Amino acid sequence: MILRNPQTETILFSRVKIPQVIPGLIQLPKVDGEKKFRFVSTVTLVRSNLHMLYPGMEIQHTVPFRVSRNADVDHREDEAQDLLILVEEGIKERRLADCVRLEIHKDIDPTVMNFLKDSLEIVDEDVYLMDFPIDFSILKAIVDLDLPDLKFKPWQPIIPKAFFENNNIFNLIRQGDILLHHPYDSFSGTVEKFISAAAEDPNVLTIKMTLYRTGDDSPFIRSLIRAAEKGKQVVCLVELKARFDEQRNIVWAQKLEDAGVHVVYGILGLKTIPRQRLLSVRKTMAKSLAMLISVPETITHRHQLFTQTLASYLQPEDLYRSG
């Protein structure tokens, strides 16, 4: 925005940053009997109350804008000794990384535009003139309204019949391999059930798995913590380099460590994406990788892969050769 001090005639530029935790649209209370939904944008609220932030100043021009920064922070992983420290530094550097895009309202004052381009060190090709809203994700507040007639019916994944008919998932796997196609086959009713059962089964001695992305309330995390608290050996490779989920993965990894889980923070030079789970059970083993398998040869191979990977003595080229 452009401000003017009426006493000194000084012209100033200022910026008000709206935190991401504040919703872009705020629903207004309904009047008695009103059926309409009314919203006001956060940008409008801020604009209407700028006099409270800048008392005594003349507000000459305001314009909303958004800056996108380069998420590819260049690090020399071959020179790093600690992947956790490397990723944490990358998260901090990303906040001040080079600007790659400026989205700004089309009614922009040329003086403000030139000031922003110079400050952000960008050129005309990096500027996108927008109408309101600049960030369309604020419309989620409207999408979340309880208006089922205006929405697609929610997709309900199917739990395979075999999982209904057999309460013991380990007996089910011993009968043959099970191919699961997500999201059409229920993930919670199959793979999550597999890990949850392993955490509770007294015959399961060890749980080893990889995590790439996980939600804020992951049942996998709860199951692994529960298994560790029951005295099972739990090992988890948490990929810290999952783009834009680095901070969440660091938090979950530290919670797992606090619960007694042996956590490996990914592998320098590689990004671990495949989701693998390996259990060691008294007299048998089972593992899930889009298929629930009990073939001894496959399990032996995966057991070797987990052991070597989590022990961190395989080089990246060795991992590729492991298949």
Side-chain angles (χ1 to χ4, degrees):
M1 72 187 76
I2 300 177
L3 303 174
R4 175 180 174 273
N5 188 324
Q7 297 181 350
T8 64
E9 301 292 329
T10 305
I11 301 296
L12 303 171
F13 290 93
S14 185
R15 179 196 68 168
V16 176
K17 186 174 182 179
I18 301 177
Q20 291 183 345
V21 296
I22 298 178
L25 287 179
I26 298 175
Q27 187 173 355
L28 301 177
K30 284 187 176 183
V31 181
D32 292 342
E34 185 180 29
K35 295 183 179 181
K36 294 182 179 180
F37 297 93
R38 297 182 299 148
F39 292 86
V40 61
S41 73
T42 303
V43 171
T44 300
L45 283 177
V46 172
R47 274 178 160 172
S48 301
N49 293 277
L50 287 174
H51 63 280
M52 300 175 66
L53 290 175
Y54 302 96
M57 302 291 287
E58 292 181 5
I59 301 170
Q60 296 187 336
H61 180 73
T62 63
V63 61
F65 67 92
R66 181 171 67 169
V67 172
S68 299
R69 298 187 180 275
N70 184 11
D72 289 324
V73 180
D74 184 24
H75 283 299
R76 292 296 301 274
E77 290 192 24
D78 55 336
E79 299 177 358
Q81 299 296 321
D82 190 313
L83 184 59
L84 176 59
I85 295 176
L86 183 73
V87 173
E88 287 179 328
E89 290 176 351
I91 294 173
K92 294 177 182 178
E93 292 178 15
R94 184 182 291 165
R95 298 168 186 165
L96 297 176
D98 293 339
C99 174
V100 296
R101 180 177 62 185
L102 172 65
E103 296 168 281
I104 195 164
H105 195 273
K106 60 184 181 180
D107 296 332
I108 176 68
D109 184 280
T111 305
V112 176
M113 174 67 81
N114 292 331
F115 174 79
L116 288 174
K117 288 196 298 183
D118 292 341
S119 300
L120 296 172
E121 298 180 349
I122 57 176
V123 295
D124 290 338
E125 289 76 10
D126 301 321
V127 179
Y128 294 78
L129 298 178
M130 310 285 289
D131 205 341
F132 187 80
I134 292 177
D135 180 8
F136 285 93
S137 67
I138 70 173
L139 301 178
K140 187 176 184 300
I142 299 176
V143 175
D144 290 341
L145 291 174
D146 186 18
L147 297 170
D149 293 342
L150 300 180
K151 300 179 182 180
F152 292 110
K153 292 183 179 179
W155 168 257
Q156 295 295 335
I158 298 172
I159 299 178
K161 183 179 179 181
F163 286 83
F164 275 118
E165 297 175 345
N166 196 326
N167 292 327
N168 190 317
I169 193 169
F170 302 112
N171 288 338
L172 182 61
I173 296 172
R174 293 187 189 102
Q175 295 172 16
D177 299 342
I178 304 170
L179 176 64
L180 300 171
H181 190 186
H182 305 302
Y184 306 105
D185 290 325
S186 170
F187 192 75
S188 60
T190 55
V191 178
E192 288 179 4
K193 180 180 179 181
F194 174 57
I195 298 300
S196 178
E200 300 294 339
D201 194 319
N203 291 319
V204 174
L205 306 177
T206 303
I207 301 176
K208 299 178 181 180
M209 66 182 294
T210 63
L211 281 177
Y212 183 66
R213 297 186 191 274
T214 186
D216 292 326
D217 188 28
S218 171
F220 280 134
I221 301 296
R222 295 195 300 269
S223 295
L224 294 178
I225 291 176
R226 193 165 64 251
E229 292 173 344
K230 290 179 178 291
K232 303 178 190 295
Q233 182 193 37
V234 183
V235 183
C236 185
L237 187 151
V238 180
E239 180 50 74
L240 298 185
K241 293 176 288 183
R243 183 66 56 84
F244 301 120
D245 279 333
E246 299 98 337
Q247 187 61 54
R248 178 188 288 121
N249 283 6
I250 289 174
V251 171
W252 281 128
Q254 292 172 341
K255 287 187 177 182
L256 288 171
E257 281 192 325
D258 292 341
V261 175
H262 175 53
V263 176
V264 177
Y265 294 104
I267 303 172
L268 284 169
L270 291 177
K271 181 177 286 189
T272 308
I273 297 178
R275 286 77 163 172
Q276 302 194 46
R277 293 106 195 168
L278 174 68
L279 309 183
S280 62
V281 189
R282 287 187 179 93
K283 296 184 180 180
T284 187
M285 288 184 179
K287 144 335 229 168
S288 167
L289 176 61
M291 291 185 69
L292 301 180
I293 300 173
S294 61
V295 179
E297 293 80 4
T298 303
I299 294 169
T300 300
H301 179 265
R302 293 306 168 191
H303 183 273
Q304 181 184 20
L305 177 62
F306 264 108
T307 301
Q308 294 176 330
T309 302
L310 299 176
S312 299
Y313 63 74
L314 266 186
Q315 296 299 317
E317 58 269 21
D318 298 322
L319 286 173
Y320 286 121
R321 284 198 295 268
S322 294

